[in-house]
Amino acid sequence: RAFPGAPRGRLYTIIMAAAASAAADGAEERGMEAEALPLGCGGEGGSPAAGRSPEGEERRDPPQASVSNGGDAESGKELVELKVIWNKNKYDVKFCLDSTGAELKQKIHSLTGLPPAMQKVMFKGLLPEEKTLREIKVTNGAKIMVVGSTINDVLAVNTPKEAAQQEVKAEENKKEPLCRQKQHRKVLDKGKPDDVMPSVKGVQERLPTVPLSGMYNKSGGKVRLTFKLEQDQLWIGTKERTEKLPMGSIKNVVSEPIEGHEDYHMMAFQLGPTEASYYWVYWVPTQYVDAIKDTVLGKWQYF
């Protein structure tokens, strides 16, 4: 009926040929769709068999081995193992050998919280920020030393200067008075020398034209002080000898009233860098204390 006049056998052959042609076209379209899908993709749009073994089980990729120094399977970057040491803490780090010192500082920041600007990174000297680890010949197991403090640490340490000075002064006030300390007590317990110069409490006077005499030194021997202003010298004389000291060689002068005899002071001249160099003199009349300090330290006073 579809092909009038065609013999029955001929009609059957035509029908079968058309069916075969349609089947071939369908197979070709399915093949093109298969080519368009990524092979092995387990995401949406993949064929039902994609990502599965022939038995229908899900195929899994073999685990990647960790690479410490060599080609990275994914990125192709060469890694190096480092030991980063900061503030008694140690960090084991794998880092790209072709990264720069600046990039390493960023990594250290992520580990420690220490900002890069506050880091001093050491490897055979100060680590250059612009060079790569490869260029400065960093090898596996290298120790990277980091010095620096976090912002919170800095704020905790840097107390206001005035507050710190007040704390020091308060601490000094807590100390035992000098006249009660054993090394001074053994001299003061001898009592006031009979020939000591008289004191005038509550009055400041300039230095007398005669030596200050009748005082004790730390060994309990008699001592006198002579101020040679024209030579800019202080002469410290004992029975045995006289020391002639340039005023500029005396680092400092300290004094403290003697407990129970506040009209007299004990005084020390610092002749070297530490307190061990103090030359002590006892029973200095109080009216001359300020004039002695000002004269020796370069501040002249006239009354």
Side-chain angles (χ1 to χ4, degrees):
R1 181 180 274 183
F3 300 93
R8 181 180 180 86
R10 178 71 173 168
L11 177 60
Y12 179 78
T13 302
I14 293 173
I15 292 173
M16 293 301 293
S21 176
D25 292 340
E28 183 177 357
E29 291 177 2
R30 286 192 299 274
M32 292 177 64
E33 291 176 359
E35 291 178 0
L37 292 174
L39 295 177
C41 177
E44 294 182 0
S47 65
R52 295 185 179 274
S53 63
E55 292 79 6
E57 297 180 355
E58 184 176 356
R59 185 176 72 242
R60 298 181 180 178
D61 295 333
Q64 295 289 336
S66 176
V67 180
S68 62
N69 191 16
D72 191 319
E74 293 183 0
S75 63
K77 294 180 180 179
E78 189 175 357
L79 304 179
V80 65
E81 292 182 352
L82 307 174
K83 289 188 179 297
V84 177
I85 302 173
W86 170 74
N87 199 20
K88 297 183 180 180
N89 297 316
K90 296 181 180 180
Y91 305 88
D92 292 326
V93 178
K94 291 182 180 180
F95 204 66
C96 178
L97 199 55
D98 291 311
S99 295
T100 63
E103 291 170 329
L104 179 59
K105 281 191 170 185
Q106 291 293 340
K107 178 66 175 178
I108 293 171
H109 180 207
S110 68
L111 293 172
T112 64
L114 186 63
M118 301 180 71
Q119 296 176 20
K120 179 183 272 188
V121 183
M122 310 294 291
F123 174 74
K124 297 180 180 179
L126 193 63
L127 184 76
E129 292 191 5
E130 69 282 359
K131 291 188 178 181
T132 66
L133 304 191
R134 187 189 301 277
E135 289 176 322
I136 61 175
K137 303 186 186 308
V138 174
T139 58
N140 260 338
K143 291 183 180 180
I144 306 296
M145 305 297 295
V146 181
V147 179
S149 301
T150 63
I151 295 176
N152 290 336
D153 292 337
V154 172
L155 292 177
V157 172
N158 289 340
T159 55
K161 185 176 181 180
E162 291 183 2
Q165 291 175 343
Q166 290 176 359
E167 290 178 4
V168 170
K169 186 176 291 186
E171 189 66 26
E172 290 178 348
N173 292 335
K174 292 179 183 178
K175 293 181 179 179
E176 185 179 30
L178 292 172
C179 60
R180 295 183 188 176
Q181 295 178 12
K182 185 177 180 179
Q183 61 171 326
H184 304 301
R185 194 72 260 167
K186 65 181 183 181
V187 178
L188 295 175
D189 284 347
K190 294 179 65 173
K192 184 168 64 173
D194 295 334
D195 57 346
V196 70
M197 298 179 68
S199 66
V200 182
K201 193 173 181 180
V203 176
Q204 293 181 355
E205 295 183 5
R206 65 180 182 178
L207 294 176
T209 55
V210 297
L212 295 176
S213 60
M215 300 170 291
Y216 289 140
N217 58 19
K218 67 178 181 179
S219 61
K222 286 295 184 69
V223 65
R224 64 183 178 276
L225 302 178
T226 305
F227 295 88
K228 293 291 185 177
L229 303 183
E230 67 281 0
Q231 301 175 36
D232 197 28
Q233 291 180 347
L234 168 62
W235 292 9
I236 302 178
T238 63
K239 185 177 179 181
E240 294 79 19
R241 62 178 182 175
T242 298
E243 295 283 349
K244 299 180 180 181
L245 304 174
M247 299 286 192
S249 68
I250 301 174
K251 310 297 182 184
N252 195 17
V253 181
V254 297
S255 70
E256 181 182 287
I258 297 174
E259 200 170 46
H261 301 273
E262 283 73 13
D263 51 340
Y264 287 93
H265 280 228
M266 49 187 293
M267 177 175 286
F269 301 95
Q270 185 177 346
L271 308 181
T274 65
E275 292 185 5
S277 66
Y278 281 3
Y279 188 98
W280 286 98
V281 177
Y282 303 86
W283 302 101
V284 178
T286 187
Q287 69 268 26
Y288 299 129
V289 168
D290 287 340
I292 292 172
K293 289 181 179 180
D294 293 342
T295 300
V296 172
L297 299 177
K299 297 178 182 178
W300 292 81
Q301 284 196 10
Y302 298 92
F303 298 94

